[in-house]
Amino acid sequence: MKKYILLITTALIGFTAFAQSDIKEEMAIKRVIESAYLDGVQNIGDMAKIDAGFHTDFRMQVLEENGRLSNVSLAQFKQRVKSNMVNGVLPRRVGKHVSVDYLSIDVTDNAASVKMDYILDGKSVYIDYMQLYKFADGWKIVNKIYHTVTD
């Protein structure tokens, strides 16, 4: 009987440690997305935050209307941000910030996939899918695809 109690206790402790590790990684991933993607790309236009949270080999893959797939490099992605700053889109005014609702975060060791609802003016605009890898200096966004929400 003591063996079974010890076995169950050990299993519960291991499960708790594993769950806490996942929660810690999910929080770290959310911080990267909120800093690099929301602040850096969508709300402020902060290049330092973009550089800190996106891997240099980042790609956004876009499904074109003709069914072709195009790739946007990090340099092109940053150029879009710079254009939004020049055109007065960024930084966004208070009350006009983009936010996200995390729909799922799947972490397996040093790889993660995040599905989130991109919200602007209280409306779902995109469903974003981001993939991240964990490097020596932390989590980095390496890929993005998205679905445009239509009413």
Side-chain angles (χ1 to χ4, degrees), residues 74-115:
L74 181 60
Q76 292 166 319
F77 202 55
K78 287 169 67 173
Q79 186 55 51
R80 291 179 180 195
V81 173
K82 290 175 185 174
S83 293
N84 282 339
M85 292 171 72
V86 169
N87 294 327
V89 175
L90 295 176
R92 292 185 192 270
R93 294 186 323 253
V94 175
K96 295 293 184 181
H97 281 204
V98 169
S99 64
V100 296
D101 284 337
Y102 295 96
L103 303 175
S104 67
I105 300 176
D106 184 19
V107 180
T108 305
D109 196 28
N110 69 335
S113 183
V114 178
K115 179 181 179 183

Side-chain angles (χ1 to χ4, degrees), residues 9-35:
T9 303
T10 303
L12 287 174
I13 291 170
F15 178 75
T16 302
F18 181 74
Q20 288 175 346
S21 174
D22 275 358
I23 291 169
K24 179 182 170 190
E25 296 301 337
E26 287 178 13
M27 289 174 62
I29 289 165
K30 286 179 179 181
R31 281 192 301 270
V32 169
I33 289 171
E34 289 163 12
S35 178

Side-chain angles (χ1 to χ4, degrees), residues 4 8 14 29 34 53 70 77 95 118 120:
Y4 293 116
I8 291 170
I29 289 165
E34 289 163 12
S70 64
F77 202 55
Y118 174 109
L120 178 61

